[in-house]
C-alpha cells in the first residue's frame, strides 16, 4: 500500500498539510506574575471568524479566586490545539499584561470528491471517512482518511492501491478536498497449504474454509481475495471441523501469510496440531438441584457412548437440556458439560452437570440497526421476553434464528447491566442487507430442452418478514408462470403459511406424444417439530387437460369427412399397401394414433383434482447444497377426492444417506418407493400414474420405464404404473489434480428399480371411435365402412421387470449453477423400454 500528498494552492495549503501548528512558546513572551493575574473574561481574542470568543475562552480554566496562572494558560493552549479547529494558536501580551489569544482558523471543507475509484463507489467511501463537507478541515484527519481508504481497498484485495489527497483553496477560507485513487490490480491468494494434517487431506480442509485459491473462475466471486479477518475466521472453522470429528485436543496454532512478489499474491499456510481422535466412552448426568432427576435428560442428549466425540452434539445437547429444564419450571437451571479423557483408550467420558444458576432477569431487549425490518419481526425469534428469567441457551437460539433469516449482514446479541444487580439488558445489534433478488436464468436438459426463466423475489417484504416471488418460464417443451407468498408466522404462531398459484404447459416431444396444461392453486402450512424434523400440510386444487397433435386424434367414422388423406407414396409404403379407393374407415390409423388412455383423457376434456396431503421430512445433512454426511428422508401422502373429478391415495418415500468414506470419497445410498391406491369406483387416470425414467434408473429415457401401449399403429405411449421402487449406490469423489474451487466431482453408480401395475382405462366406448383391423387394440369390424363400436383389449406390456444400469457422472457446482452429466449403460431392461445413455441437465442465474 502506498499513499502520498499532492498540493494545489500556496503557502496556506503547505502549512495545513505539512506544517505543525506554529505556537509561540509561553516563555518567549515574558510577563510578570502580576500581569498574568487575569480573569477569563479579560482574555482578548483575535483572528476568529467562525468560532465564538466565549467558546475560545471556555478552554481556559481559572484557578482559585478565578485567576489565571501560568499552568491554566498552558493547559488552555493545549486544549485549543487539540480541538483541530485551528491552524495556528498564539498567546501574546498586550498593554498592561493583558492576555491576547491569536488564532488562525482551519478552513471549512466545501466539497469532497473522489477520482479514479471504479471498484468502490463514492457513497461507500464518503460513509467511511471522517472528513465531511461543511466540516472543519484537519490535516491529521485527512491523513487518517487516506489510510482508511487504502484499508478499504486492501480488504477488497487491492494491496497496490495508491491514495493521494489534494487540497484546492477556495475564497472565504474554504477548501475542496479531492482523494485521487490509483486502485491497482486485485491481489489474490495463490496457494493454501496445511501443515500437520494427517487425518484429513488438504483437499478436504480447503472445503471447510472460506478463503479460496485464485483460479480461472475467480472473477465470478471474491473468495480468493486475501482478507486477514477471513483467514482468522478460517482458523476457527478448521478448529470446529476437527472438534466435530473427535479431535478434542486440536489446535490451529497459526495462519501464516506471506506475499510472494513473483506470483503477485499471498501464500497462506495453516499450522495444525491434531492430537488424538476420541470416542465417547460413557455419558453421565448429574444434578445439584433438589428433586430434579438428571437421568430424565438422557432423552435430550445427542451424545451416545461409542460415537465419535462431537463438540456440536454436546452443544446442542446442552441447549436442548437447558430449554427442557426451563419448561419444567427450573428457569435458572444451567447445564455445564464436562469431559474426562482417557488418553490410553482414546475415549472421553461426557458428564452433563445440571446446577442452579444465578437468578437474573431480562429487564429490556433493545434492538439496534434495523433500519428496515420491523421490531416485531426480530423479537418474535426470541422464546423469551422482558421480565423472563435470563437463559443463555434461549438467547443463543434466538441469535442463530436471526442469522438464518438471511435478512442481516451481521447479528450479535450482547448483555449490559440493568437497573439492579439481578437485571440484564439484551442488546441486539444488526446490520441490514439487501433481501430482493432479480434473476434471469437459463438451462438445458435432455428432457426439457432449452429453458429460460425470469423471476423477482423479496425475502423481507415491506420489512415484515414476508416472502414473495413471481416467475415466468419459457422453453422448448415447458412453459408457465408461478406466484408464491409465504407468511412465516401465521397469527404470531411459529407456523408458516404458503400460497402458490401456478400455470404449467408441457408440450409434446420425442418422449411423449401429448401435451398437458395445468392451472393450480395450493395453500400449505409448515411446522418445525424439531431442528431436524419438519411437517408440511397442504391442499392442492388444479385443473388439467391434454392436448394432442391433430394427426394423433383424427379418426372419424363419418363418410366424406375423413380426417386423414394419405398420399399415394404413403399408401404404397404400407404393408399391405393401402387401397386409396377404400372408405376412410380402413385408413384412419395408418398415420399413427395416440394410445387409448390418452385419447380418452382428450375426450374427457378438463379434469379437476382436489387433494389433501402432507410431507414429513427428517434432515440431518451437514450441508443441504453439497452434503457429505447425514440422512434425508421424505414421506409424502396425497389424498385426492375432496371434491373434484378423481380420487386416489398416493404415498411416496424417498431416502438419501450420505457418508464420508476414505480420501474425500463420499458414499450415497438412495432408496425410493411409491404406491398409488384406487379409492371408490372411479378409474385411475393415466396422468395420475407414476411415470419413471432416469429419475429412477439412469440410462433410460424419460417415461422410458414401465407399462407401455403396444399398438404398432399408435404412438406407443408410456402408460405409467401404480407401484415403483428404486435403489442406487453412488460414490462421489473429487478430482484431486484440480483446484478445489473449480467445483468438479466425479461419480460412479449402480441403479436398479421397477415400475409396474398399470390400473388405468383399457376399454372405451365412444361414438365415432374406429373399430378396424388396422387398430390392433380394437375389436375388428366386419362392416365396410365400419360403424361405431367399442374399443376393447388395450394391448400393453405390464411385466414386473427389474431394470438396472451402471454409469459414471460429472458433477459441477459451477458459478453458472449446478450442472450434471451422466453416461449410463442399462444392464437389464424390459422388451419395450426406451433407453437414453447420455443425460445432461443444469441451469444458471445471471
Amino acid at each position: 500500500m502506498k499513499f502520498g500528498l499532492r498540493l494545489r494552492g500556496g503557502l496556506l495549503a503547505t502549512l495545513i498539510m505539512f506544517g505543525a501548528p506554529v505556537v509561540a512558546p509561553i516563555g518567549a513572551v515574558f510577563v510578570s506574575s502580576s500581569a498574568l493575574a487575569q480573569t477569563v473574561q479579560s482574555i482578548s481574542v483575535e483572528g476568529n471568524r467562525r468560532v465564538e470568543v466565549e467558546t475560545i475562552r471556555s478552554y481556559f480554566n481559572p484557578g482559585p479566586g478565578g485567576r489565571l496562572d501560568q499552568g491554566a494558560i498552558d493547559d488552555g493552549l493545549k486544549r485549543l490545539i487539540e480541538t483541530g479547529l485551528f491552524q495556528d494558536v498564539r498567546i501574546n501580551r498586550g498593554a498592561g499584561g493583558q492576555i491576547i489569544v491569536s488564532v488562525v482558523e482551519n478552513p471549512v471543507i466545501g466539497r469532497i470528491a473522489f477520482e479514479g475509484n471504479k471498484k468502490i463507489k463514492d457513497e461507500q467511501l464518503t460513509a467511511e471517512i471522517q472528513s465531511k463537507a461543511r466540516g472543519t478541515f484537519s490535516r491529521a484527519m485527512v491523513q487518517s482518511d487516506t489510510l482508511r481508504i487504502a484499508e478499504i481497498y486492501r480488504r477488497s484485495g487491492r494491496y497496490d492501491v495508491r491514495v493521494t489527497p489534494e487540497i484546492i483553496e477556495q475564497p472565504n477560507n474554504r477548501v475542496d478536498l479531492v482523494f485521487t485513487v490509483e486502485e491497482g490490480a486485485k491481489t489474490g491468494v495463490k496457494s493454501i497449504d496445511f501443515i500437520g494434517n494427517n487425518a484429513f487431506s488438504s483437499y478436504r480442509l480447503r472445503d471447510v474454509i472460506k478463503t479460496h485459491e485464485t483460479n480461472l473462475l475467480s472473477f465470478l466471486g471474491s473468495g480468493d481475495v486475501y482478507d486477514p479477518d477471513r483467514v482468522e475466521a478460517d482458523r476457527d472453522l478448521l478448529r470446529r471441523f476437527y472438534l466435530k470429528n473427535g479431535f478434542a485436543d486440536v489446535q490451529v496454532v497459526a495462519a501464516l501469510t506471506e506475499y510472494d512478489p513473483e506470483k503477485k499474491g499471498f501464500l497462506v499456510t495453516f499450522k495444525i496440531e491434531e492430537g488424538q481422535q476420541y470416542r465417547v466412552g460413557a455419558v453421565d448426568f448429574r444434578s445439584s438441584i433438589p428433586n430434579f432427576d438428571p437421568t430424565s435428560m438422557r432423552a435430550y442428549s445427542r451424545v451416545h457412548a461409542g460415537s465419535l466425540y462431537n463438540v456440536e452434539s454436546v452443544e446442542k445437547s446442552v441447549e436442548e437440556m437447558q430449554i427442557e429444564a426451563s419448561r419444567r419450571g427450573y428457569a435458572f437451571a444451567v447445564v455445564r458439560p464436562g469431559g474426562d479423557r482417557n488418553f490410553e483408550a482414546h475415549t472421553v467420558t461426557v458428564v452433563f452437570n445440571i446446577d442452579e444458576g444465578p437468578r437474573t432477569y431480562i429487564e429490556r431487549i433493545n434492538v439496534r440497526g434495523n433500519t428496515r425490518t420491523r421490531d416485531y419481526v426480530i423479537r418474535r425469534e426470541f422464546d423469551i421476553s422482558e421480565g423472563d428469567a435470563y437463559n443463555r441457551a434461549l438467547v443463543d437460539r434466538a441469535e442463530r434464528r436471526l442469522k438464518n433469516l438471511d435478512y442481516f449482514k451481521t447479528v450479535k446479541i450482547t448483555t449490559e447491566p440493568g437497573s439492579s444487580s439481578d437485571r440484564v439488558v439484551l442488546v441486539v445489534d444488526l446490520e441490514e442487507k439487501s433481501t430482493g433478488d432479480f434473476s434471469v436464468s437459463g438451462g438445458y436438459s435432455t428432457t426439457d430442452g432449452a429453458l429460460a426463466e425470469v423471476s423477482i423475489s423479496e425475502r423481507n417484504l415491506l420489512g415484515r418478514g414476508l416472502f414473495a416471488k413471481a416467475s415466468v418460464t419459457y422453453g422448448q417443451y415447458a412453459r408457465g408462470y408461478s406466484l408464491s407468498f409465504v407468511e412465516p408466522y401465521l397469527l404470531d404462531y411459529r407456523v408458516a403459511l404458503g400460497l402458490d398459484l401456478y400455470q404449467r404447459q408441457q408440450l409434446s416431444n420425442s418422449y411423449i406424444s401429448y401435451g398437458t396444461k395445468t392451472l393450480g392453486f395450493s395453500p400449505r402450512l409448515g411446522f418445525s417439530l424439531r431442528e431436524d424434523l419438519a411437517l408440511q400440510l397442504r391442499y392442492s386444487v388444479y385443473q388439467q387437460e391434454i392436448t394432442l397433435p391433430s394427426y394423433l386424434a383424427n379418426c372419424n367414422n363419418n363418410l366424406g369427412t375423413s380426417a386423414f388423406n394419405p398420399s399415394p407414396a404413403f399408401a404404397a409404403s404400407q404393408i399391405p399397401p393401402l387401397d386409396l379407393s377404400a372408405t376412410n374407415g380402413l385408413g384412419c390409423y395408418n398415420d399413427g394414433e395416440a394410445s387409448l388412455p390418452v385419447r380418452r383423457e382428450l375426450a374427457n376434456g378438463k379434469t379437476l383434482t382436489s387433494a389433501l396431503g402432507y410431507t414429513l421430512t427428517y434432515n440431518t445433512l451437514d450441508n443441504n447444497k453439497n452434503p457429505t454426511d447425514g440422512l434425508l428422508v421424505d414421506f409424502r401422502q396425497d389424498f385426492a377426492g375432496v371434491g373434484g373429478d378423481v380420487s386416489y391415495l398416493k404415498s411416496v418415500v424417498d431416502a438419501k444417506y450420505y457418508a464420508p468414506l476414505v480420501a474425500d470419497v463420499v458414499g450415497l445410498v438412495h432408496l425410493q418407493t411409491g404406491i398409488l391406491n384406487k379409492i371408490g369406483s372411479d378409474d385411475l387416470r393415466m396422468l395420475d400414474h407414476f411415470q419413471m425414467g432416469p429419475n429412477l434408473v439412469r440410462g433410460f429415457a424419460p417415461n422410458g420405464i414401465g407399462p407401455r401401449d403396444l399398438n404398432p399403429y399408435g404412438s406407443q405411449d408410456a402408460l405409467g404404473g401404480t407401484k415403483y421402487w428404486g435403489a442406487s449406490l453412488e460414490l462421489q469423489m473429487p478430482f484431486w489434480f484440480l483446484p478445489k474451487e473449480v467445483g468438479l466431482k466425479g461419480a460412479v453408480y449402480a441403479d436398479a428399480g421397477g415400475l409396474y401395475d398399470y390400473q388405468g382405462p383399457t376399454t372405451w366406448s365412444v361414438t365415432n371411435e374406429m373399430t378396424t383391423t388396422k387398430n390392433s387394440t380394437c375389436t375388428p369390424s366386419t362392416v365396410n365402412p365400419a360403424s361405431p363400436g367399442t374399443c376393447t383389449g388395450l394391448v400393453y406390456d405390464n411385466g414386473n421387470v427389474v431394470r438396472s444400469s451402471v454409469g459414471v457422472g460429472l458433477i459441477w457446482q459451477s458459478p453458472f449453477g449446478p450442472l450434471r452429466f451422466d453416461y449410463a449403460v442399462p444392464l437389464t431392461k424390459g422388451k419395450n423400454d426406451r433407453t437414453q445413455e447420455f443425460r445432461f441437465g443444469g441451469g444458471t442465474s445471471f
Side-chain angles (χ1 to χ4, degrees):
M1 185 274 296
K2 304 175 183 177
F3 69 90
L5 300 173
R6 183 166 76 250
L7 301 180
R8 296 178 189 168
L11 177 62
L12 176 62
T14 304
L15 291 175
I16 291 172
M17 295 304 301
F18 297 106
V22 181
V23 180
I26 297 299
V29 181
F30 294 99
V31 292
S32 65
S33 60
S34 61
L36 289 171
Q38 303 287 331
T39 64
V40 172
Q41 296 302 318
S42 67
I43 296 176
S44 177
V45 179
E46 297 177 347
N48 60 309
R49 301 178 64 181
R50 299 186 311 276
V51 184
E52 298 291 338
V53 172
E54 291 304 321
T55 301
I56 295 175
R57 288 174 175 171
S58 67
Y59 287 94
F60 294 88
N61 297 326
R67 299 289 182 176
L68 291 171
D69 56 18
Q70 184 69 48
I73 294 174
D74 289 345
D75 290 342
L77 176 63
K78 293 177 182 178
R79 294 189 189 101
L80 285 172
I81 295 172
E82 289 171 355
T83 62
L85 298 173
F86 306 103
Q87 172 188 338
D88 188 15
V89 181
R90 293 173 179 267
I91 296 181
N92 300 313
R93 183 183 63 176
Q98 182 184 17
I99 298 174
I100 301 173
V101 180
S102 299
V103 297
V104 178
E105 294 179 346
N106 274 330
V108 173
I109 301 174
R111 180 178 66 95
I112 297 178
F114 303 91
E115 296 180 357
N117 56 312
K118 299 179 181 178
K119 302 300 181 182
I120 301 179
K121 296 181 179 180
D122 288 3
E123 293 78 8
Q124 182 178 350
L125 295 177
T126 301
E128 293 288 345
I129 63 175
Q130 293 178 298
S131 299
K132 302 298 180 184
R134 296 182 297 278
T136 302
F137 174 84
S138 168
R139 174 184 62 86
M141 190 179 296
V142 171
Q143 290 178 334
S144 174
D145 290 339
T146 302
L147 293 172
R148 178 58 183 158
I149 294 172
E151 176 67 14
I152 293 171
Y153 273 92
R154 185 179 70 85
R155 294 291 180 186
S156 65
R158 299 182 183 274
Y159 277 77
D160 200 29
V161 64
R162 179 184 175 89
V163 183
T164 305
E166 274 184 77
I167 311 302
I168 305 174
E169 289 186 0
Q170 301 292 349
N172 300 320
N173 198 28
R174 301 175 74 85
V175 296
D176 288 343
L177 178 58
V178 179
F179 291 96
T180 302
V181 182
E182 297 177 21
E183 295 179 323
K186 186 173 71 171
T187 310
V189 176
K190 297 301 181 182
S191 71
I192 300 175
D193 295 310
F194 302 88
I195 298 175
N197 55 310
N198 298 315
F200 300 100
S201 68
S202 296
Y203 191 95
R204 179 68 181 93
L205 295 181
R206 289 190 189 100
D207 196 36
V208 175
I209 61 178
K210 300 296 184 182
T211 303
H212 304 308
E213 294 179 350
T214 301
N215 58 71
L216 294 175
L217 300 176
S218 294
F219 69 94
L220 296 169
S222 60
D224 69 312
V225 174
Y226 174 70
D227 184 341
D229 290 342
R230 182 162 54 202
V231 172
E232 191 62 28
D234 287 339
R235 290 181 62 186
D236 187 60
L237 290 175
L238 288 170
R239 177 177 170 275
R240 297 283 300 179
F241 175 75
Y242 271 93
L243 289 174
K244 281 174 54 180
N245 288 278
F247 293 87
D249 300 323
V250 67
Q251 292 185 35
V252 183
V253 179
L256 307 175
T257 58
E258 178 185 2
Y259 181 78
D260 188 333
E262 294 183 1
K263 295 183 177 181
K264 295 183 179 181
F266 283 89
L267 314 180
V268 180
T269 303
F270 293 95
K271 187 177 180 181
I272 303 171
E273 294 180 1
E274 292 181 333
Q276 296 294 328
Q277 189 178 45
Y278 292 86
R279 290 191 172 273
V280 178
V283 182
D284 195 11
F285 303 85
R286 301 171 186 171
S287 172
S288 62
I289 302 176
N291 302 321
F292 187 93
D293 180 14
T295 59
S296 64
M297 294 289 103
R298 188 175 296 275
Y300 301 93
S301 173
R302 302 191 180 192
V303 182
H304 306 287
S307 63
L308 276 178
Y309 177 77
N310 185 334
V311 70
E312 286 192 0
S313 297
V314 174
E315 291 171 350
K316 290 178 180 178
S317 299
V318 168
E319 180 179 299
E320 294 292 337
M321 293 178 193
Q322 197 158 317
I323 292 173
E324 178 60 24
S326 178
R327 289 175 182 153
R328 297 183 184 184
Y330 300 91
F332 301 100
V334 177
V335 180
R336 297 184 176 92
D340 297 326
R341 293 177 177 81
N342 185 326
F343 297 100
E344 295 180 356
H346 299 154
T347 60
V348 177
T349 299
V350 180
V351 180
F352 293 100
N353 298 291
I354 306 166
D355 303 312
E356 187 78 21
R359 292 183 172 270
T360 306
Y361 297 88
I362 299 173
E363 184 173 311
R364 292 191 315 278
I365 300 178
N366 294 336
V367 181
R368 301 188 302 211
N370 56 318
T371 56
R372 181 167 175 266
T373 306
R374 309 293 179 93
D375 263 23
Y376 72 86
V377 174
I378 298 163
R379 293 178 181 272
R380 69 191 183 187
E381 299 300 328
F382 286 81
D383 291 328
I384 49 177
S385 57
E386 284 92 343
D388 290 347
Y390 175 74
N391 188 315
R392 187 67 222 178
L394 292 176
V395 173
D396 291 340
R397 172 180 283 186
E399 182 171 338
R400 187 169 61 251
R401 286 174 175 171
L402 288 172
K403 290 178 179 178
N404 291 338
L405 288 176
D406 200 26
Y407 300 163
F408 312 103
K409 290 182 180 178
T410 58
V411 177
K412 189 173 182 61
I413 302 179
T414 57
T415 59
E416 294 179 354
S419 58
S420 61
S421 59
D422 63 343
R423 298 287 188 272
V424 295
V425 177
L426 292 182
V427 180
V428 185
D429 286 308
L430 308 165
E431 183 181 357
E432 300 263 13
K433 72 176 183 180
S434 175
T435 55
D437 292 305
F438 176 77
S439 173
V440 179
S441 305
Y444 179 83
S445 75
T446 48
T447 303
D448 297 325
L451 190 70
E453 180 185 81
V454 178
S455 67
I456 183 170
S457 65
E458 172 58 60
R459 300 191 305 276
N460 188 13
L461 185 64
L462 303 176
R464 300 176 182 272
L466 306 174
F467 173 84
K469 181 178 180 180
S471 65
V472 177
T473 302
Y474 191 89
Q476 281 181 274
Y477 307 120
R479 298 164 189 175
Y481 64 84
S482 66
L483 300 173
S484 298
F485 173 83
V486 177
E487 163 58 83
Y489 279 80
L490 181 62
L491 301 177
D492 291 330
Y493 290 97
R494 203 176 295 277
V495 177
L497 168 67
L499 302 173
D500 298 301
L501 176 67
Y502 57 90
Q503 189 272 335
R504 303 188 189 116
Q505 182 180 9
Q506 180 71 45
L507 304 181
S508 59
N509 53 52
S510 58
Y511 305 111
I512 54 175
S513 66
Y514 55 90
T516 58
K517 290 183 180 180
T518 306
L519 176 65
F521 173 70
S522 177
R524 48 194 163 84
L525 295 175
F527 305 83
S528 180
L529 305 180
R530 284 188 340 204
E531 189 173 348
D532 56 3
L533 190 63
L535 174 67
Q536 182 192 88
L537 306 178
R538 61 182 171 273
Y539 170 71
S540 301
V541 56
Y542 58 90
Q543 179 180 273
Q544 194 172 42
E545 64 176 319
I546 273 185
T547 59
L548 270 174
S550 60
Y551 72 91
L552 292 182
N554 61 359
C555 275
N556 192 317
N557 199 35
N558 295 327
L559 292 176
T561 59
S562 174
F564 173 56
N565 296 301
S567 66
F570 179 85
S573 66
Q574 302 304 298
I575 301 176
L578 182 62
D579 182 4
L580 292 179
S581 63
T583 62
N584 68 321
L586 296 177
C588 180
Y589 284 84
N590 281 285
D591 61 343
E593 287 296 301
S595 299
L596 181 149
V598 176
R599 288 180 283 117
R600 178 169 176 177
E601 292 291 345
L602 181 67
N604 288 340
K606 297 177 180 179
T607 302
L608 184 68
T609 300
S610 176
L612 289 171
Y614 70 92
T615 300
L616 190 64
T617 302
Y618 177 74
N619 186 350
T620 63
L621 298 181
D622 59 343
N623 186 314
N624 287 331
K625 291 185 178 180
N626 187 24
T628 61
D629 191 14
L631 178 64
L632 174 63
V633 180
D634 276 340
F635 177 67
R636 303 189 299 274
Q637 278 195 311
D638 288 281
F639 169 71
V642 189
D645 302 321
V646 298
S647 39
Y648 59 78
L649 176 64
K650 184 179 287 187
S651 306
V652 172
V653 179
D654 191 290
K656 295 180 180 178
Y657 176 67
Y658 294 84
L661 302 178
V662 294
D664 304 321
V665 177
V666 175
L668 166 62
V669 178
H670 184 192
L671 303 176
Q672 50 184 322
T673 186
I675 184 170
L676 175 66
N677 297 108
K678 178 179 176 180
I679 295 178
S681 58
D682 293 337
D683 289 336
L684 290 172
R685 296 193 311 156
M686 183 202 70
L687 292 181
D688 294 326
H689 283 61
F690 297 111
Q691 297 284 357
M692 292 293 167
N695 55 332
L696 187 70
V697 181
R698 283 162 285 195
F700 289 84
N703 295 5
I705 293 176
R708 180 176 301 276
D709 179 10
L710 299 183
N711 176 13
Y713 297 97
S715 57
Q716 297 190 335
D717 293 295
L719 304 177
T722 59
K723 301 179 181 67
Y724 77 90
W725 65 272
S728 297
L729 295 177
E730 182 170 315
L731 296 179
Q732 298 178 358
M733 63 211 71
F735 295 107
W736 292 275
F737 54 88
L738 292 176
K740 181 76 174 180
E741 294 72 26
V742 174
L744 276 173
K745 293 192 297 184
V748 295
Y749 51 82
D751 297 343
L755 173 69
Y756 53 97
D757 198 12
Y758 169 74
Q759 294 185 21
T762 57
T763 63
W764 185 30
S765 178
V766 59
T767 303
N768 292 337
E769 175 64 26
M770 289 308 302
T771 57
T772 73
T773 55
K774 285 291 186 181
N775 181 7
S776 65
T777 64
C778 294
T779 301
S781 173
T782 59
V783 180
N784 188 13
S787 60
T790 301
C791 282
T792 60
L794 171 66
V795 180
Y796 63 96
D797 177 9
N798 199 28
N800 184 11
V801 179
V802 175
R803 283 81 174 179
S804 63
S805 68
V806 294
V808 296
L810 182 65
I811 306 167
W812 187 19
Q813 295 293 334
S814 77
F816 310 104
L819 303 174
R820 176 151 183 158
F821 306 82
D822 282 297
Y823 181 80
V825 178
L827 300 179
T828 59
K829 62 179 181 178
K831 182 174 63 173
N832 298 290
D833 288 345
R834 305 289 189 265
T835 61
Q836 182 190 72
E837 295 181 345
F838 177 76
R839 185 168 183 255
F840 163 74
T844 182
S845 295
F846 47 89

